[in-house]
Amino acid sequence: MKRFSWAGLVAAAILSCSPVLAQTVTVDSARGAVEVAVRPETVAVFDIAALDTIHALGITPAGVPDKLYVPYLADLAGAAKPVGTLFEPDLEALAALGPDLIVLGGRSSTRFDAVSALAPTLDMTIWEDLVAEARARIGAYGAIFGVEDKARELQAALDARLAETAQAAAGKGSALIVMTNGPKVSAYGRGSRFGWLHTALDLPEAHQNLDPETHGDAISFEFIAEVNPDWLIVIDRGAAIGEAGGASATLDNALVQGTTAAQKQQIIYLSPAPIYIAGGGYSSMMQTLEELLAAFSGAAG
């Protein structure tokens, strides 16, 4: 009969609980400070903004939603297993994957209780102060995955792009941010999901006190004509979610064409999926800012 050394078993137990193997880091989440194990091996990520930033840090998760929407994440489709949708994690697929960490946010955050029963779970929803929270998320993921230096590089690059875009926009006039959804149009101002374009860039609002709620203020073409923005910043929801887009056709009418924005060719059609689906992700923000920088830089002051 094989004999076991009690001292050996105690030593093994101590080793298994050593700081090296059990190292953790405390990070801020949408639900407060959370202690997370460092360098998790198997990670499932459902929030596209989180996936965007984690991907930018050079990390490839093991599980992702079945649709990723943004082109620059396409390489993950073949590298990770689909474990649900953007809104609904597949609990059976997650259990089979056996993740060490699950990251939710935004659209998937309502499933926190069900998912957290399977593995340690973070709710990394970004909402109130998109730029500050996005920077914090970069730092948090850097600490979790042990790539702090890379995280600081991304934060510095984001800060530089924000400053450069704000400088290019200075003195170029007011802007109205609108989202089209087929024939429907909504406007967004400070405090809204797209309001960071005003606050972070110090970009004057063409119309103040818009509803900051998720779906914005439903507006008419007459409203756009009356507000008469110097810049019209457009997000096409249909195109963002992979349906037939049509923002340019929706806005192609005499009322919109009579605005200063149209007359000066200052209507900016942003790449829709990054800002609508992945808002707050590092690559999303960099792409949106690059598009705005190009437009503002090419305009006369």
Side-chain angles (χ1 to χ4, degrees):
M1 182 177 67
K2 186 178 293 186
R3 297 184 177 181
F4 296 92
S5 164
W6 177 252
L9 289 174
V10 171
I14 293 173
L15 180 62
S16 69
C17 297
S18 68
V20 173
L21 297 180
Q23 185 179 0
T24 62
V25 63
T26 300
V27 299
D28 287 330
S29 76
R31 297 172 185 250
V34 181
E35 190 174 11
V36 185
V38 173
R39 294 184 178 86
E41 292 185 4
T42 305
V43 181
V45 182
F46 288 91
D47 179 53
I48 302 299
L51 191 59
D52 174 321
T53 298
I54 290 170
H55 181 260
L57 287 167
I59 308 300
T60 300
V64 298
D66 59 354
K67 285 188 70 175
L68 301 178
Y69 296 94
V70 289
Y72 52 80
L73 294 180
D75 61 307
L76 293 177
K81 294 181 180 180
V83 285
T85 70
L86 195 60
F87 292 88
E88 191 68 28
D90 183 331
L91 299 183
E92 185 174 337
L94 268 178
L97 183 70
D100 303 308
L101 178 67
I102 301 170
V103 181
L104 304 180
R107 299 165 178 87
S108 60
S109 61
T110 59
R111 303 296 292 155
F112 183 89
D113 290 341
V115 167
S116 60
L118 299 176
T121 302
L122 285 173
D123 178 355
M124 300 301 263
T125 299
I126 293 174
W127 180 252
E128 290 186 3
D129 186 341
L130 186 137
V131 173
E133 291 176 32
R135 289 188 86 266
R137 298 292 185 260
I138 294 170
Y141 299 134
I144 291 170
F145 294 105
V147 288
E148 291 93 336
D149 288 346
K150 180 64 175 178
R152 284 188 284 271
E153 288 178 15
L154 297 190
Q155 289 172 329
L158 177 59
D159 291 344
R161 182 67 56 82
L162 283 163
E164 187 179 11
T165 308
Q167 184 176 11
K172 301 292 176 64
S174 64
L176 180 67
I177 303 169
V178 301
M179 183 173 75
T180 64
N181 187 17
K184 300 177 181 178
V185 185
S186 300
Y188 295 80
R190 290 177 183 268
S192 72
R193 64 190 301 179
F194 309 125
W196 67 276
L197 300 181
H198 286 298
T199 53
L201 303 179
D202 199 21
L203 184 61
E205 293 178 281
H207 184 84
Q208 297 182 357
N209 301 318
L210 289 166
D211 187 346
E213 294 302 317
T214 302
H215 301 293
D217 262 316
I219 61 170
S220 64
F221 300 126
E222 287 80 5
F223 175 88
I224 297 175
E226 182 180 347
V227 170
N228 191 27
D230 297 305
W231 295 85
L232 193 60
I233 300 174
V234 183
I235 299 149
D236 187 334
R237 181 184 180 276
I241 62 175
E243 297 179 353
S248 58
T250 297
L251 298 173
D252 186 13
N253 59 70
L255 288 166
V256 175
Q257 294 307 313
T259 62
T260 298
Q263 293 295 308
K264 290 188 173 182
Q265 299 184 335
Q266 293 180 167
I267 300 179
I268 306 172
Y269 291 91
L270 294 175
S271 295
I275 191 168
Y276 181 74
I277 300 290
Y282 170 79
S283 298
S284 161
M285 296 180 71
M286 291 294 281
Q287 182 168 341
T288 295
L289 290 168
E290 182 179 356
E291 293 168 358
L292 292 170
L293 176 61
F296 291 131
S297 296

